Amino acid sequence: MSAGESVKNLMLSGLGVAAAFFLYFVLTRLIRVKEKWWCKALLHFNCWQACIMIIFVGDIDNLSLSLLIFLLLLWITCRGTGLKKLTLGLMFSSTVYAFNGFWDNCVAYWAHIFGMDRFYADMYLAGRLFFAVVLYLTIRFRKTDKDFELSKPLWRLMLFLTFSPIGIMFSVILLTSPFVKFESILVADSVLFLVVIVSFIGLLRALTVLEKQQRLERKNLLANQNQRYYEAMEQQQFEIRRLRHDLANHLQTLLALPASQKDDYVKGMMDQPAFGQVVTWCGDVTVNAVLTAKEGLMRQKGIRFHAKADIPGELPFEKADLCAVFANALDNAVEGCGALEESMREIYLDARAGKGILAVNIKNACPVRELVPGGKGVLPGTTKKDARNHGFGLRSIQEIVKKYGGSMEIEQREGEFNLFLYLPVPE
C-alpha cells in the first residue's frame, strides 16, 4: 500500500470518527450521560458502531445485533428511568439505522447503475458524516431539559409511537428476500427508509410538546403548593398576633379562676406559639416568619439550628416564592437529620443580601445511606417511601431560582448535605 493510499484510508477513518462525534452530540441533547469518563468513552464507541454499521435488506443479523448492543450500552452509560432510555434509544437508533439502510442499499444501487462504484466507495463515510451533521443541526436548538422526566404514561405513549418507525425498519429488512431483484422494490424501500428518517422530527416534536406540557403542569402545582405554604405561614402569624391581642382577656380570666386552676391555665397559655421566644433574624418579615416557625420545629426534634441572616430590609421577591425557598430548604434539612442520633442533628443556615445578590447556604448532617446520586444540575430523589407524592421540595426551589435568573448547586459528601443558591436582587 502506497503512502497516498494510507493517508486516504486514514482520512476516511477520520470521517467515521467525526460522524460518531456528531451523533454523540445529538444523543447528549436528548439524555444526560453519567459523569464518569469511561461512560462518555463507551457512549462515543456506541455511536461509532451504530454509525458505521452496514445494513443490507434481507440481512437481519447486523441490525438486530447492533441494536441490542446500542440499547445495552445506552442503558449503562446514561441517566434516567428505564422507559426513558429505552424510548430514546429506539427513537435515535431507528433513525441512524434507517439512513444506513438507505445509503447501503438505495444509494449504492444507483451508484452501481451509473458506474460510480469507485466514487461511492470514496464517499461512503462522507455520507455518514453528512447525515450526522444534518441530524445535529436539526436538534441543536432543542430547548427542553435533558434531565426532565415524563410521567410513566407519557413515556409509554412515546414508546408506542416509536414502535412505528422501528417496526417499519425491521419490516423492510425482514420482508425483503435476497432472492428478489432489488430494483423491483427499490422505490418502496427508499420511501420507507426516508419515512423512518423523517419520523424522527415528528417524534422529537411530540417529545418536546409533552415535556413542555408536563413542565407547565408541574410549575402550576408547585406554585399552588408554595402559595398554600405561604398562606399557612401567614395564618400562623395571624394567630400569634391575635393571641397577643387577647392577652387582656386572658389576664381577666386568670383573675376570675380559682387558685387551683390558675397554674394549669398559665401552663396552657405558655404552650401557645404566640408566647414562645420572639427572634428577629433579619429585616425581611417573611424570612423572619419562616425561620421562627422552623426553629420551633427543630427544637421539638432535638436539632441544633445555627442561623445567620444578614438581610437588612425587605426583599423584592414574591412572598410566596421567598417562603417556599427557605421553608422547603429547611424542611429537607430537617428530614435529612431525622434519622440521625440526637447528638448529631445539626443545621447551619447562612443568608446574605447585598451588592445585588441574595445568597443562601444551608448545610445539614444526614445518614450516609441516604445520600443519593445528585450533582450539579441533577436533583437527588426523595428518600420518602411515597416518591410519587413527595420530592417536590428541591424541584420547587429550582423552579423559583430559574424564575428569578439565579443558580442553585447541591453538594453531597459523606454525612453532609449542602445546598447553595443565589438570586439577583433587583435594584
Side-chain angles (χ1 to χ4, degrees):
M1 182 183 296
S2 66
E5 290 178 338
S6 299
V7 172
K8 180 180 177 181
N9 290 336
L10 184 61
M11 291 178 63
L12 291 176
S13 300
L15 292 177
V17 173
F21 268 99
F22 275 102
L23 291 182
Y24 175 86
F25 294 145
V26 171
L27 197 54
T28 53
R29 291 269 177 174
L30 294 170
I31 192 169
R32 184 176 292 276
V33 188
K34 294 177 181 177
E35 295 299 327
K36 296 179 180 178
W37 68 267
W38 62 266
C39 290
K40 297 179 180 178
L42 199 57
L43 191 62
H44 273 104
F45 169 78
N46 201 18
C47 292
W48 176 79
Q49 70 88 17
C51 174
I52 66 168
M53 184 56 58
I54 300 172
I55 305 294
F56 288 138
V57 294
D59 180 10
I60 195 63
D61 294 338
N62 278 1
L63 177 61
S64 301
L65 183 60
S66 181
L67 179 60
L68 288 175
I69 292 173
F70 183 86
L71 293 177
L72 177 62
L73 295 184
L74 182 73
W75 194 284
I76 294 171
T77 58
C78 294
R79 298 182 183 275
T81 61
L83 272 173
K84 178 179 182 177
K85 289 188 278 191
L86 177 61
T87 302
L88 294 179
L90 289 175
M91 175 178 155
F92 177 83
S93 60
S94 65
T95 308
V96 175
Y97 293 138
F99 176 81
N100 291 359
F102 176 76
W103 192 255
D104 295 340
N105 295 276
C106 307
V107 175
Y109 177 80
W110 286 112
H112 176 70
I113 292 297
F114 289 102
M116 300 174 65
D117 291 330
R118 180 69 180 180
F119 178 76
Y120 171 78
D122 291 340
M123 297 299 294
Y124 183 77
L125 289 176
R128 299 288 214 263
L129 176 59
F130 173 77
F131 171 73
V133 171
V134 171
L135 199 61
Y136 171 73
L137 293 176
T138 302
I139 201 174
R140 64 175 298 197
F141 298 109
R142 174 178 158 83
K143 300 297 184 183
T144 48
D145 186 359
K146 53 195 169 186
D147 286 323
F148 193 78
E149 284 284 359
L150 297 177
S151 63
K152 286 186 178 180
L154 291 182
W155 275 126
R156 291 192 190 104
L157 174 61
M158 283 301 304
L159 182 60
F160 178 77
L161 294 175
T162 307
F163 282 150
S164 295
I166 200 72
I168 293 173
M169 264 286 299
F170 273 93
S171 298
V172 172
I173 303 299
L174 281 172
L175 301 180
T176 304
S177 171
F179 302 105
V180 177
K181 290 186 177 180
F182 184 69
E183 57 268 23
S184 64
I185 56 171
L186 174 64
V187 175
D189 283 357
S190 298
V191 170
L192 291 174
F193 279 131
L194 291 174
V195 166
V196 175
I197 295 171
V198 173
S199 67
F200 176 80
I201 299 175
L203 290 172
L204 183 64
R205 178 60 181 166
L207 179 64
T208 303
V209 170
L210 290 175
E211 283 183 354
K212 288 182 177 179
Q213 179 63 29
Q214 182 159 308
R215 185 180 298 278
L216 181 61
E217 292 177 359
R218 182 162 290 179
K219 280 185 177 180
N220 290 336
L221 176 63
L222 291 176
N224 292 334
Q225 184 184 58
N226 293 343
Q227 185 62 34
R228 290 195 298 270
Y229 210 146
Y230 175 70
E231 289 173 356
M233 195 71 65
E234 282 283 282
Q235 181 63 29
Q236 184 181 32
Q237 292 301 306
F238 171 77
E239 292 294 330
I240 291 175
R241 291 192 297 270
R242 182 182 62 80
L243 285 172
R244 285 179 178 164
H245 183 266
D246 292 343
L247 184 58
N249 295 329
H250 286 298
L251 293 175
Q252 290 177 359
T253 303
L254 276 172
L255 291 174
L257 284 175
S260 60
Q261 298 180 18
K262 287 183 179 181
D263 289 344
D264 292 336
Y265 189 85
V266 171
K267 184 178 179 181
M269 287 175 58
M270 295 304 296
D271 289 336
Q272 296 292 326
F275 297 98
Q277 183 181 8
V278 179
V279 180
T280 301
W281 304 86
C282 65
D284 187 274
V285 175
T286 302
V287 176
N288 279 335
V290 174
L291 296 187
T292 299
K294 298 307 175 185
E295 192 273 339
L297 173 66
M298 293 178 204
R299 199 181 325 115
Q300 292 175 7
K301 294 180 176 290
I303 300 173
R304 295 180 298 283
F305 185 39
H306 310 278
K308 182 177 181 180
D310 186 7
I311 303 173
E314 290 290 326
L315 293 167
F317 304 114
E318 292 183 20
K319 294 186 180 298
D321 291 339
L322 197 59
C323 173
V325 167
F326 280 89
N328 281 315
L330 291 174
D331 282 344
N332 284 337
V334 169
E335 181 187 341
C337 290
L340 295 171
E341 296 180 3
E342 190 167 327
S343 60
M344 300 174 63
R345 299 174 187 173
E346 211 158 15
I347 296 174
Y348 294 85
L349 178 142
D350 187 2
R352 300 172 185 269
K355 298 182 180 179
I357 288 178
L358 169 65
V360 181
N361 188 31
I362 297 177
K363 293 190 295 185
N364 65 274
C366 62
V368 176
R369 61 181 174 81
E370 288 195 5
L371 291 178
V372 289
K376 188 175 182 179
V378 182
L379 296 182
T382 180
T383 58
K384 296 176 181 177
K385 294 181 180 179
D386 186 9
R388 181 180 179 87
N389 296 314
H390 292 288
F392 288 106
L394 287 175
R395 191 169 296 278
S396 175
I397 298 171
Q398 186 181 58
E399 294 293 340
I400 294 169
V401 168
K402 286 183 179 179
K403 174 180 176 180
Y404 292 103
S407 179
M408 180 175 97
E409 293 183 9
I410 293 171
E411 183 182 4
Q412 300 183 86
R413 289 189 299 230
E414 196 170 305
E416 183 179 274
F417 186 93
N418 188 19
L419 169 66
F420 173 78
L421 64 91
Y422 75 84
L423 300 175
V425 179
E427 296 295 337

